[in-house]
Amino acid sequence: MKKIMLFLSIAAVGLLMSACASVEVVKNPNLNGQAIANSGRTIAHIDAQNWGIYLFTIPLFTGSTTNPGSIDVLNDTVNVPSLMPVLTKKSKELGATKTLDLASQYSESGLIFYSRSVNISGNAVK
């Protein structure tokens, strides 16, 4: 019974602190007139983020990259190859023909249970 309660407690904490994938957009009027691209017309700066909870290397809860804002279970989506299509899709939705100056950041912390996160940003240009 104690093991079941422990498992249910861990599952509840995992769901409360569950993972998320998100995309933030800062459009050109909010960039104070700064040209963030050497060529073309600046449309926006885009930042895509994803994070998840892992047991050693096993993904427990991660942000869904096919449906940002929802959760994937046992699916490793906290990596650059999984998140890059989210960023470029948003860039295309904004009418950009190029996504320039891409930068990514990866972090991981924990012992048995790990929290991983990845962040990619770029400039949408037409």
Side-chain angles (χ1 to χ4, degrees), residues 36-46 84 87-102 121-126:
I36 58 175
N38 289 334
S39 63
R41 184 173 59 91
T42 299
I43 296 175
H45 179 76
I46 304 170
M84 186 60 74
L87 183 115
T88 55
K89 179 181 177 186
K90 180 55 87 172
S91 182
K92 286 181 182 180
E93 286 175 4
L94 294 170
T97 56
K98 299 180 209 173
T99 306
L100 304 174
D101 302 322
L102 294 167
S121 64
N123 301 325
V125 177
K126 189 170 191 174

Side-chain angles (χ1 to χ4, degrees), residues 46-50 80 83 103-107 117-121:
I46 304 170
D47 182 60
Q49 305 169 11
N50 194 9
V80 172
L83 192 57
S104 65
Q105 179 183 11
Y106 174 85
S107 66
S117 66
V118 67
N119 183 26
I120 304 173
S121 64

